[in-house]
Amino acid sequence: MISDHLRNITIHLSTHRWADLGLGVLGKPQGPIDIAVMVAQAVLLALVLDYVHMLWLRYKMPPGPFPLPILGNTLLLPENKPWIYFEELSKRYNTPVITFWIGRNPTVWINDAWAASEILDKRAGIYSSRPRMVVFAELGNGQDGMLNMYTTTATQRERWRAHRKLMHHGVGVQSVRRYRSFQNDESRIVAADLLASPGEYVRHFERYATSVVSIIGFGRRVERWDDPIITEVIANMHLAADLNVPGKSFPMLMETFPWLARFPTSIAPWKRGLGRKRGFNFFYALADEAAQKPGHDGSFVKHLFAERAKYGLRDEEVSSLTGNLFGAGSDTSSSTLITFILACCAFPETLAPAWEELDRVVGQDRSPDFADEPNMPYVRAFVKEVFRWRSVAIIGGQPHAPTQDDYYNGWLIPKGTWTQGNVWAIHHHEREFPDPDRFNPQRFLADHEDGRPFPGERGYMTFGWGRRVCSGQALAEQGTWITIARILWGFKIAKKTRPDGSVVEVDINNYTNGLNMRPQPFECSITPRTPRTAATIEQEGRQARDDLEQYRGETKYRMSTFYSRNDRAMDKYGDDAKEE
């Protein structure tokens, strides 16, 4: 057995006589050459023992490709969309859970809904922590915020619970019901914007999603699609999303060679600028600015500042919590709505049942409201299929890490192991979702023949698992439903037809490569269903703007200039970027 071979190698190395290594009598070095030989042999011994340890872990852990010394399986990583590769490995080894080595560190990928439920949901108390993340955490957002925080000690767990409690006050299941009024109004404005300029649908969705979280966070809406809060913050979210996808090029190669992260950023081009720490963060400046303004006492940042002394919140924590709010509701929600448009173009046969249900329940003289949801099972299924078909958080968000050694099906998952749910593989498993690339809302209707058992009542795992489930899940589900229902009610969505009559095809697999994926730009046709729906959209849009007037406002801060070394006029928050 492999364990016997490894034991023999270890015994042989540990009992080797120094004299046999050419170090002279009693192991004393005889000169510079002997010292160099001794150092080289010590390094070699350390490498061999380390590799023996890797192979011993591989023997006990879930199956996967054979790792090389030091490099592990890093060279096997594809350039794009590694979640598809991990799905293929799961099929190759005929196991729901695989081990893949990033350098010397094993990572566990869960490619099955039932295994994910068993490990990450039912054992949530064990898998509530995070692993070491060199790029995204240590060099990026830090490991002290709620998103990346360790929970291996009682002190860490207590701190994380405090952050979670504060976040639940902002976007928890009970809290988001308070936001239905302005979320509904913002959705009406999206419909009016699509009527006026349908070709700018991406920008309209980004404005809508960012405005909703800005009202919740700061008591201030975002009126224009070109507001820097949208363009700069979402661009920053996209960059951050790219920093947590396993890769074999820099900066992600630092996960394989973490010692490279120790070099100063100024002399380490492979760090791509990561590792710079600022005295004040952009999101703290936004929060402090909003907290000083009168009115909107129910905003999230005013709650944070009111509770600051109670929880002993540092500036960095206020910044982190505020930034998490944007991360939980802006980029992800807009990307989901873009996927919705793509699905309508690629699978037009799914629209007629939605129109029939909407006309029967709602009519054409008003658009849908939250009260209509219980009476529209097909539209509910349509939204669920959007979440399932091309999930935004394609690998389930940040990785989990067990706080103790754990076993699944007899396989070891060591303490601290990077443990990731592969949402792509889970949502494209033929067992639960036959013909998985087909967009088919019928699969979420109870009486449909394709219905299969699935752990959890929602039928999808888009928002993660256990205690680390996405904080903004309730907000995203609520907002996505009302916006999709309203757009389905008001518009015909189809592939674009060129002047010569030819059709512009869409590619359902042409997505970005980040942690939060979205479709690459594509052309489409968005036109009002009838003159009556168009008139209703215009009237409701005007009324919504009047209703939202109370949230008018603008920030003086811009992310593009906030961290500029040359901008000295940005009052106390324009501090120079300093390296840690």
Side-chain angles (χ1 to χ4, degrees):
M1 293 178 61
I2 187 171
S3 58
D4 296 328
H5 292 302
L6 294 177
R7 190 179 300 110
N8 291 336
I9 291 173
T10 304
I11 293 172
H12 175 73
L13 290 171
S14 63
T15 59
H16 219 302
R17 293 182 298 114
W18 286 111
D20 293 339
L21 299 178
L23 299 181
V25 179
L26 299 179
K28 293 181 180 179
Q30 301 301 302
I33 295 178
D34 286 341
I35 293 174
V37 170
M38 181 178 68
V39 171
Q41 290 170 336
V43 170
L44 178 61
L45 176 63
L47 291 176
V48 170
L49 291 176
D50 182 72
Y51 191 46
V52 168
H53 177 68
M54 287 176 62
L55 296 180
W56 177 241
L57 280 180
R58 182 181 185 271
Y59 170 69
K60 297 194 291 183
M61 291 184 69
F66 198 88
L68 297 174
I70 304 175
L71 291 173
N73 303 128
T74 300
L75 297 179
L76 297 178
L77 283 169
E79 294 294 337
N80 294 295
K81 300 178 175 56
W83 43 87
I84 297 177
Y85 172 65
F86 295 131
E87 177 190 33
E88 294 170 351
L89 286 180
S90 183
K91 293 177 180 178
R92 183 189 309 172
Y93 289 97
N94 192 28
T95 174
V97 180
I98 63 165
T99 303
F100 191 89
W101 291 76
I102 302 297
R104 299 168 53 254
N105 300 313
T107 64
V108 169
W109 286 83
I110 306 172
N111 300 280
D112 174 90
W114 300 94
S117 178
E118 174 65 30
I119 296 171
L120 300 178
D121 277 331
K122 294 181 180 179
R123 307 182 195 180
I126 296 176
Y127 288 86
S128 63
S129 193
R130 297 297 194 203
R132 183 189 183 192
M133 293 178 281
V134 174
V135 176
F136 188 85
E138 293 182 8
L139 298 179
N141 293 345
Q143 204 113 24
D144 295 329
M146 177 183 171
L147 184 64
N148 299 329
M149 193 181 296
Y150 294 123
T151 59
T152 55
T153 68
T155 301
Q156 291 169 342
R157 287 191 292 272
E158 182 180 356
R159 199 67 189 155
W160 182 80
R161 290 189 191 103
H163 280 224
R164 183 177 63 173
K165 184 176 181 179
L166 290 165
M167 189 60 69
H168 279 186
H169 178 87
V171 291
V173 175
Q174 300 303 319
S175 297
V176 298
R177 297 183 68 86
R178 305 195 309 264
Y179 309 144
R180 284 188 169 187
S181 177
F182 64 74
Q183 204 169 22
N184 191 36
D185 280 333
E186 287 288 7
S187 174
R188 287 172 172 167
I189 292 177
V190 166
D193 288 342
L194 288 173
L195 192 65
S197 53
E200 303 292 343
Y201 67 94
V202 172
R203 290 172 170 173
H204 299 326
F205 292 154
E206 290 179 343
R207 186 214 63 79
Y208 155 77
T210 307
S211 188
V212 167
V213 294
S214 184
I215 293 174
I216 295 170
F218 309 120
R220 177 186 68 244
R221 71 180 297 256
V222 176
E223 298 184 56
R224 307 184 320 277
W225 63 261
D226 58 348
D227 189 303
I229 290 293
I230 303 175
T231 56
E232 296 178 358
V233 170
I234 286 186
N236 189 61
M237 297 293 178
H238 289 176
L239 176 62
D242 291 339
L243 294 181
N244 221 17
V245 176
K248 57 185 177 183
S249 59
F250 288 113
M252 283 306 296
L253 195 57
M254 284 187 285
E255 297 291 351
T256 299
F257 303 113
W259 53 271
L260 290 173
R262 296 182 176 274
F263 285 81
T265 301
S266 57
I267 63 169
W270 58 84
K271 294 175 75 171
R272 309 287 173 87
L274 293 169
R276 299 186 184 278
K277 308 294 183 181
R278 277 90 177 188
F280 284 88
N281 184 279
F282 176 70
F283 285 110
Y284 180 83
L286 292 179
D288 185 58
E289 177 190 50
Q292 302 302 323
K293 291 185 177 180
H296 304 299
D297 291 336
S299 69
F300 181 58
V301 298
K302 291 207 169 182
H303 177 72
L304 288 183
F305 278 87
E307 298 290 291
R308 186 171 189 174
K310 174 182 176 182
Y311 292 102
L313 293 177
R314 295 175 287 110
D315 293 347
E316 292 83 357
E317 292 178 293
V318 173
S319 176
S320 173
L321 288 163
T322 308
N324 283 348
L325 181 66
F326 269 82
S330 57
D331 178 38
T332 51
S333 292
S334 58
S335 297
T336 300
L337 293 173
I338 300 168
T339 282
F340 154 67
I341 297 295
L342 178 64
C344 292
C345 292
F347 300 91
E349 69 278 4
T350 63
L351 299 177
W355 292 335
E356 185 281 326
E357 185 175 80
L358 286 158
D359 288 344
R360 174 167 41 84
V361 175
V362 178
Q364 295 192 10
D365 296 321
R366 70 171 180 88
S367 65
D369 204 343
F370 286 108
D372 298 313
E373 183 177 4
N375 301 316
M376 295 194 294
Y378 183 81
V379 174
R380 285 205 311 273
F382 200 108
V383 174
K384 286 188 172 186
E385 181 69 343
V386 170
F387 283 134
R388 193 279 315 173
W389 182 61
R390 294 289 187 268
S391 301
V392 173
I394 198 61
I395 53 177
Q398 301 300 92
H400 297 238
T403 56
Q404 64 188 52
D405 287 355
D406 190 36
Y407 287 85
Y408 174 75
N409 281 356
W411 292 317
L412 170 68
I413 302 179
K415 176 182 177 181
T417 298
W418 188 310
T419 307
Q420 194 87 56
N422 187 350
V423 176
W424 172 269
I426 290 169
H427 285 174
H428 286 74
H429 201 300
E430 290 276 358
R431 180 186 59 217
E432 283 85 27
F433 305 107
D435 195 7
D437 278 323
R438 178 187 171 208
F439 183 85
N440 178 22
Q442 296 284 349
R443 70 173 87 244
F444 282 99
L445 296 175
D447 58 350
H448 190 257
E449 63 182 9
D450 283 352
R452 298 291 191 277
F454 193 87
E457 59 182 14
R458 283 182 169 84
Y460 54 80
M461 292 181 167
T462 306
F463 296 93
W465 302 269
R467 298 176 185 177
R468 294 290 190 162
V469 69
C470 175
S471 301
Q473 176 172 357
L475 179 69
E477 290 175 331
Q478 179 174 284
T480 301
W481 184 88
I482 191 62
T483 306
I484 286 180
R486 180 164 282 119
I487 294 173
L488 284 172
W489 168 86
F491 296 95
K492 295 179 181 177
I493 305 167
K495 298 175 184 177
K496 183 176 181 178
T497 301
R498 298 186 183 93
D500 63 2
S502 61
V503 174
V504 179
E505 295 298 330
V506 295
D507 185 351
I508 64 173
N509 294 311
N510 189 19
Y511 273 70
T512 60
N513 192 51
L515 178 71
N516 292 334
M517 72 172 193
R518 63 162 55 187
Q520 298 284 7
F522 63 95
E523 293 183 289
C524 64
S525 171
I526 303 175
T527 56
R529 285 181 59 209
T530 69
R532 287 170 64 189
T533 58
T536 300
I537 289 169
E538 288 180 337
Q539 187 276 324
E540 290 188 348
R542 289 192 296 270
Q543 182 62 54
R545 284 187 169 86
D546 290 341
D547 294 342
L548 292 170
E549 187 66 22
Q550 61 180 306
Y551 300 111
R552 177 185 289 271
E554 189 172 355
T555 177
K556 64 180 178 180
Y557 294 112
R558 300 291 183 267
M559 185 176 284
S560 57
T561 59
F562 184 79
Y563 293 134
S564 172
R565 291 179 179 273
N566 298 320
D567 190 352
R568 301 294 186 177
M570 292 281 293
D571 62 41
K572 67 176 181 178
Y573 300 117
D575 206 13
D576 258 357
K578 294 186 176 71
E579 290 191 11
E580 189 177 44

